[in-house]
Amino acid sequence: METKWLEDFVSLAETRSFSRSAQLRHVTQPAFSRRIQSLEGWAGTDLVDRSSYPTRLTPAGETLYAQSLEVLQALQSTRAMMRGHTAAGQDVIEFAVPHTLAFTFFPAWVSALREKFGPIKSRLIALNVHDAVMRLVEGSCDLLIAYHHPSQPYQLDADRYEMVSLAEEVMAPYVKPDADGAPMFRLPGRTGQPLPYLAYAPGAYLGQMVELILKQYGAAIHFDRVYETDMAEGLKAMALEGHGIAFLPYSAVKKDLRAKKLVSAAPIDMKGLQITMDVRAYRERPSGKEAGKSGIHTNRSAGPGPKRNAQALWDYLVTQAAAS
């Protein structure tokens, strides 16, 4: 039995909706349903009355719901106490960061931060976007740093989480230059002669941004998908070897552009082939409000409260954002 099954079940008991709870728990509805079924398998009985709508719990489900709240509260309190002991004398700030930002944005950002804010002790947890967000939701990091675009918002309750903007990031197509410094492959390509395209794997956040770029551009782009991966750094490595065109964040390629190892793949009249995203930091509000309909309950009063350095850093980031 996994504790996340209990968290899923509490969410379902409160929303009475499989689809809404799946959205709040950042999983697909089929995956969410399988986790509820796994919990029922562990319990040895039906917890949800599937003959009714909206969803309601069986008597056994009502019993488990009440017990789950107590179990999760106790686990959260115990973890908060243990993390307080671990952090004592260290005050390490834990960051959950998607892989691309971990390789591109984060190192330079921390360097600038140490110059202006002062020295900090940090721990970086590099993950895919879904797992990075879940680190924040589960209370396993101090700050989440992630891309944001209005077309793909994270379903984070504003009453429980707060956000500050750190920077803007532009994503555009890049390619290796030829011996004369011109792009090896130049957009938009031609019918019958598609350009080799280095793509993000299905489901990748930046892949969704590329799809939005191409949709908003409107005109035909002729691509032959020759390679795909989840990570921008992987695409950049292939682009540097001349394998094709890749859409990459500027922070990933700025040094290569200066060194003329990469150039824009879009002519001047195709500058619409780019998108601007926010880089944002998120944290749980220190007031310790319950998650309400999110299905996860916390009790911060039982723990040590926000880390001193994490709180000071957040205050600094908010001040910098307000001044910019």
Side-chain angles (χ1 to χ4, degrees), residues 4-313:
K4 66 182 177 184
W5 296 351
L6 291 181
E7 294 167 350
D8 292 339
F9 181 66
V10 168
S11 177
L12 179 61
E14 294 180 345
T15 66
R16 305 283 169 162
S17 168
F18 276 82
S19 59
R20 177 61 178 153
S21 286
Q23 183 182 43
L24 290 170
R25 296 289 289 150
H26 304 284
V27 295
T28 63
Q29 186 170 336
F32 182 84
S33 297
R34 286 194 297 271
R35 276 154 53 160
I36 296 298
Q37 290 169 357
S38 296
L39 182 61
E40 290 179 315
W42 172 85
T45 186
D46 289 339
L47 303 173
V48 179
D49 183 353
R50 291 174 174 81
S51 66
S52 66
Y53 184 85
T55 301
R56 67 183 181 190
L57 304 182
T58 64
E62 294 287 356
T63 299
L64 182 60
Y65 171 56
Q67 295 299 314
S68 296
L69 293 178
E70 294 184 13
V71 169
L72 292 173
Q73 289 281 13
L75 287 173
Q76 290 279 7
S77 298
T78 301
R79 181 171 64 177
M81 287 187 287
M82 291 189 296
R83 286 166 63 87
H85 293 315
T86 301
Q90 299 180 19
D91 215 8
V92 174
I93 303 174
E94 296 185 59
F95 296 89
V97 186
H99 288 112
T100 295
L101 284 165
F103 282 111
T104 59
F105 173 82
F106 189 81
W109 178 73
V110 169
S111 294
L113 193 64
R114 285 175 172 156
E115 290 180 10
K116 298 178 181 178
F117 172 74
I120 63 169
K121 296 179 181 179
S122 60
R123 180 178 296 117
L124 174 68
I125 308 162
L127 307 147
N128 61 44
V129 171
H130 168 268
D131 290 346
V133 174
M134 287 307 301
R135 280 276 182 166
L136 177 68
V137 171
E138 294 171 352
S140 299
C141 69
D142 296 304
L143 271 69
L144 162 71
I145 295 180
Y147 287 126
H148 167 80
H149 190 271
S151 69
Q152 295 289 333
Y154 303 119
Q155 301 297 324
L156 293 172
D157 187 349
D159 289 336
R160 183 178 173 188
Y161 302 99
E162 54 187 332
M163 172 278 298
V164 63
S165 182
L166 304 180
E168 286 189 340
E169 179 84 278
V170 176
M171 189 161 70
Y174 298 98
V175 68
K176 182 179 180 179
D178 60 20
D180 297 323
M184 286 183 64
F185 310 105
R186 187 185 296 271
L187 291 168
R190 287 185 255 170
T191 303
Q193 291 184 307
L195 303 173
Y197 175 40
L198 310 174
Y200 294 94
Y205 187 89
L206 292 184
Q208 295 169 353
M209 293 296 99
V210 175
E211 290 177 8
L212 183 61
I213 291 172
L214 299 177
K215 180 179 178 180
Q216 291 180 341
Y217 185 70
I221 303 292
H222 304 282
F223 277 144
D224 179 20
R225 195 183 187 102
V226 298
Y227 178 77
E228 66 178 41
T229 182
D230 285 330
M231 298 175 60
E233 284 296 305
L235 294 183
K236 186 180 84 167
M238 292 292 284
L240 285 168
E241 292 296 326
H243 292 292
I245 295 172
F247 283 80
L248 298 166
Y250 178 73
S251 62
V253 300
K254 59 183 179 181
K255 292 182 180 178
D256 302 290
L257 293 174
R258 284 197 289 266
K260 301 187 185 306
K261 294 180 179 179
L262 289 175
V263 294
S264 173
I268 294 176
D269 59 351
M270 295 181 68
K271 288 302 182 183
L273 278 172
Q274 63 182 40
I275 199 167
T276 300
M277 304 172 289
D278 271 347
V279 179
R280 293 182 171 184
Y282 300 83
R283 73 163 184 174
E284 186 172 5
R285 293 184 183 276
S287 58
K289 291 181 180 179
E290 291 189 349
K293 300 298 182 181
S294 70
I296 302 177
H297 293 253
T298 59
N299 182 7
R300 292 289 184 183
S301 61
K307 295 178 185 175
R308 178 179 55 82
N309 279 2
Q311 181 63 52
L313 173 60

